[in-house]
Amino acid sequence: MSDQREEQEMEAEALEAIFDTAFTNRSTDQPFVWSVKLVPVDCGGDTEEEEKANHVMVNLVATIPLNYPEDSESLPELDIEIIKGLSEDNKKEILVLANEEAEANAGMPVLFAVCEAVRTWLADNNVKGLDDASMHAQMMRKAKDAERQKVRVYFAAVCRMGI
């Protein structure tokens, strides 16, 4: 067994231990294909509660190259499957974030870090209606994003001033 395959199998075991039934190994032969269901609020496996608390959900799907993670040029091929509440634009945004996180951790197992980055994005955007592509909904989201940015700038200034 190659060292890379062994490292990949250990990463899969770790992801399964962390994410439990949310982790799926879609391919037992190389190249492996792994999927992790990501939600903003972990409800401990309570499906009914998960549906109520989470307005957005995705599957992060990773196709694992043969020479991953040793070769820092060889990162998993990532995809996002929308489960609930997101638009195609959201999917693209999450995918960019996921790939940036993978690149930032190149040369080592990256999927936990990628999952955490995506989960954080989902938590920050856990609102109803993100899949609503109407002009009104888009304007409301932009207004809310602008307000969040103002709050971030304010708190950053307060922190710098030591208040």
Side-chain angles (χ1 to χ4, degrees):
M1 183 183 311
S2 74
D3 288 343
Q4 285 86 1
R5 182 183 175 110
E6 194 171 311
E7 282 191 56
Q8 291 171 11
E9 288 176 349
M10 288 187 338
E11 184 175 7
E13 287 176 20
L15 292 169
E16 187 172 20
I18 294 165
F19 293 106
D20 195 28
T21 58
F23 175 81
T24 305
N25 189 348
R26 294 184 178 184
S27 170
T28 56
D29 295 322
Q30 286 185 301
F32 297 123
V33 178
W34 301 334
S35 173
V36 182
K37 179 182 177 184
L38 298 170
V39 297
V41 180
D42 181 7
C43 296
D46 184 337
T47 309
E48 188 176 317
E49 193 61 34
E50 184 177 87
E51 276 295 317
K52 288 180 193 173
N54 295 300
H55 304 292
V56 294
M57 296 181 197
V58 299
N59 276 328
L60 173 71
V61 180
T63 302
I64 310 302
L66 298 178
N67 52 355
Y68 165 84
E70 291 289 319
D71 182 357
S72 62
E73 299 295 315
S74 187
L75 294 170
E77 181 184 317
L78 303 174
D79 192 19
I80 298 294
E81 296 173 348
I82 298 170
I83 299 173
K84 179 181 179 184
L86 297 170
S87 68
E88 284 299 311
D89 286 342
N90 298 137
K91 174 182 174 174
K92 290 173 188 171
E93 184 178 343
I94 295 168
L95 200 49
V96 167
L97 171 77
N99 282 304
E100 286 173 352
E101 189 67 30
E103 289 170 13
N105 291 284
M108 60 182 139
V110 301
L111 285 176
F112 178 74
V114 170
C115 288
E116 283 303 294
V118 171
R119 194 203 59 72
T120 299
W121 188 96
L122 292 171
D124 290 345
N125 293 278
N126 189 24
V127 294
K128 287 183 179 179
L130 286 181
D131 55 348
D132 183 351
S134 71
M135 188 63 74
H136 177 262
Q138 290 176 24
M139 287 178 11
M140 295 303 291
R141 284 193 295 272
K142 285 181 183 178
K144 186 176 270 190
D145 288 345
E147 187 63 32
R148 283 184 189 151
Q149 184 59 29
K150 285 180 187 177
V151 170
R152 285 186 198 114
V153 169
Y154 172 77
F155 281 115
V158 167
C159 289
R160 280 194 302 273
M161 293 170 55
I163 296 175

